[in-house]
Amino acid sequence: MPGAPGPRMTLPTQLVLRALLAEPTREMYGLEVGEAAELPSGTVHPILARLEGCGWVESRWEEVDPKRAGRPRRRYYRLTPDGAELALTALARVHTPRRLVNRLVARPLGGAT
Amino acid sequence: MTSDPDLARDLSQARLNLLRLASKPLRDGLSVASAEAAAPHLRAMLKCRAVAVATQEGVLLAWEGDAGHHLDWVIEAAFEAGHTGRQQVRTQWEMHCGQMDCPVRAVIVSPLEVDGNVVGSLAAISEDSARTGSLRAVSDLARFVSAQLELHGLAPPTGIDGFLADERTDAWRPPSHVAQRVVTVALRVLPAGSRPRYTEELRDELGMLGRWAQLRYAFRFATGSWQLRRSLCHRAATPARET
């Protein structure tokens, strides 16, 4: 979504972007994104929704028959090509020291934003 | 009923104390031992002639109080409640116990449910007739007992190994009733068009977690649901309905 304002680069948002950028072409579902970002489970959906709203991330339903698979369809996320570029630029700009990131990740986060 | 605030507070504290005493054994699951330990406190809460706890098949686990000559009707009603999942009432006119001075006016049996399945029943053998208040009191207490029984399977794993082992499962399993309910309530704050998508997405993710991890996930999601709503509402070009 060219021209859409970018997301606020909060620490959890940076962690999610770093996780998605680690393998930009790989699709991951919410639980995997949370694990890769080292965020508590159940906290990534507000971030993913915001990134999707900015056009940095796109999502799609897994093409599977829920009855045959014995489980609901999975929602997969990945960076858009534009999103990957913008995310790299934004992360380079914020320059959150890795040491600080590690320290903050080590303690429970109150919220996801 | 009382207008004395101190007495009202004492009564309230006494009731809370009874709930606490009854809840402890019930969190060990439904068994003869837990039912017998909880029954005196359940009877004190209902202030009735006797209470009984039975399995889903109507097998008696505990009987607290007298009026044992009503046992047959209690077992029959417990069997019915266990198989229909609906509250059962037997009035004194239906029971014909044969004792002219029998004080029992009604037997009220409510099902006990865990994860949406009937696992047993709670019966009140009452000196009051089956009025709306009595029916609701037994029904409310059965819900309380059910909630305690539900917690049995959700005891936190002990030690770090337990937590790690509980975090993910190898295969998808239907999420626990409690986690699903927390998520369902949290989803109500989302725009109506987004709810079906997140209902399916979260159900899939919850099913990949252990039961204790499901609860953590559900409560975290509930905490952040307003943020998710803001994210969805602020989308520059939100589609009319999520696909």
Side-chain angles (χ1 to χ4, degrees):
Chain A
M1 195 178 301
R8 281 180 56 224
M9 294 299 284
T10 61
L11 181 63
T13 302
Q14 292 175 48
L15 293 170
V16 166
L17 288 173
R18 286 181 201 281
L20 292 170
L21 279 167
E23 291 178 79
T25 55
R26 183 186 159 203
E27 293 184 307
M28 288 191 277
Y29 65 106
L31 215 53
E32 285 179 317
V33 174
E35 285 173 351
E38 297 182 56
L39 286 169
S41 65
T43 63
V44 297
H45 289 96
I47 302 167
L48 289 169
R50 197 168 312 128
L51 292 172
E52 209 174 346
C54 297
W56 288 25
V57 162
E58 60 189 0
S59 68
R60 68 169 183 90
W61 284 115
E62 178 186 23
E63 287 172 14
V64 69
D65 177 5
K67 282 183 185 164
R68 192 166 291 177
R71 61 171 173 79
R73 291 178 300 168
R74 194 154 280 173
R75 189 81 180 186
Y76 280 113
Y77 296 86
R78 74 172 172 192
L79 286 164
T80 60
D82 285 349
E85 266 186 52
L86 290 165
L88 277 172
T89 309
L91 285 171
R93 200 178 296 135
V94 290
H95 273 313
T96 304
R98 188 69 212 172
R99 191 161 41 86
L100 177 62
V101 172
N102 288 340
R103 190 155 57 85
L104 291 168
V105 169
R107 75 176 190 219
L109 294 166
T113 55
Chain B
M1 294 290 285
T2 176
S3 57
D4 181 338
D6 287 339
L7 184 56
R9 191 193 60 215
D10 288 348
L11 286 173
S12 168
Q13 284 178 345
R15 191 165 168 79
L16 282 174
N17 195 40
L18 286 170
L19 285 172
R20 185 179 61 79
L21 290 169
S23 67
K24 202 174 171 189
L26 292 169
R27 290 183 189 182
D28 291 335
L30 193 60
S31 66
V32 170
S34 65
E36 282 186 340
H41 311 300
L42 298 174
R43 183 186 169 207
M45 273 186 273
L46 288 173
K47 295 184 179 133
C48 58
R49 197 80 189 179
V51 299
V53 179
T55 66
Q56 190 250 344
E57 291 296 323
V59 176
L60 196 68
L61 295 173
W63 184 286
E64 172 67 24
D66 53 16
H69 60 289
H70 281 270
L71 178 65
D72 287 350
W73 287 283
V74 170
I75 287 175
E76 180 270 321
F79 181 87
E80 195 72 16
H83 282 80
T84 62
R86 287 196 296 271
Q87 189 178 56
Q88 302 294 314
V89 179
R90 302 292 181 264
T91 64
Q92 65 181 128
W93 313 114
E94 294 171 83
M95 292 188 282
H96 310 295
C97 74
Q99 292 193 8
M100 293 297 288
D101 57 348
C102 178
V104 174
R105 294 288 172 270
V107 165
I108 304 165
V109 184
S110 282
L112 302 173
E113 293 183 26
V114 173
D115 281 351
N117 300 313
V118 180
V119 296
S121 59
L122 170 70
I125 296 89
S126 174
E127 289 174 292
D128 294 329
S129 54
R131 288 190 296 254
T132 309
S134 314
L135 301 179
R136 189 176 300 154
V138 179
S139 176
D140 286 349
L141 191 58
R143 269 202 291 276
F144 165 78
V145 172
S146 297
Q148 304 309 308
L149 293 173
E150 223 160 45
L151 289 171
H152 166 56
L154 295 173
T158 52
I160 190 69
D161 290 344
F163 270 104
L164 291 174
D166 192 49
E167 212 43 61
R168 286 288 290 263
T169 56
D170 294 333
W172 190 88
R173 285 184 308 176
S176 83
H177 200 55
V178 180
Q180 190 70 57
R181 263 190 294 183
V182 172
V183 164
T184 301
V185 172
L187 284 169
R188 287 187 196 152
V189 307
L190 302 189
S194 297
R195 281 178 220 152
R197 163 186 164 174
Y198 283 99
T199 299
E200 187 170 1
E201 185 171 353
L202 266 55
R203 186 169 157 76
D204 167 56
E205 294 190 7
L206 281 171
M208 295 302 294
L209 295 169
R211 294 190 85 199
W212 186 243
Q214 285 177 16
L215 270 190
R216 290 199 295 261
Y217 179 113
F219 283 114
R220 286 191 199 116
F221 178 80
T223 306
S225 58
W226 285 98
Q227 293 167 355
L228 178 56
R229 178 191 165 85
R230 280 196 294 274
S231 299
L232 294 168
C233 290
H234 288 164
R235 279 186 183 181
T238 308
R241 196 171 182 84
E242 297 280 357
T243 54

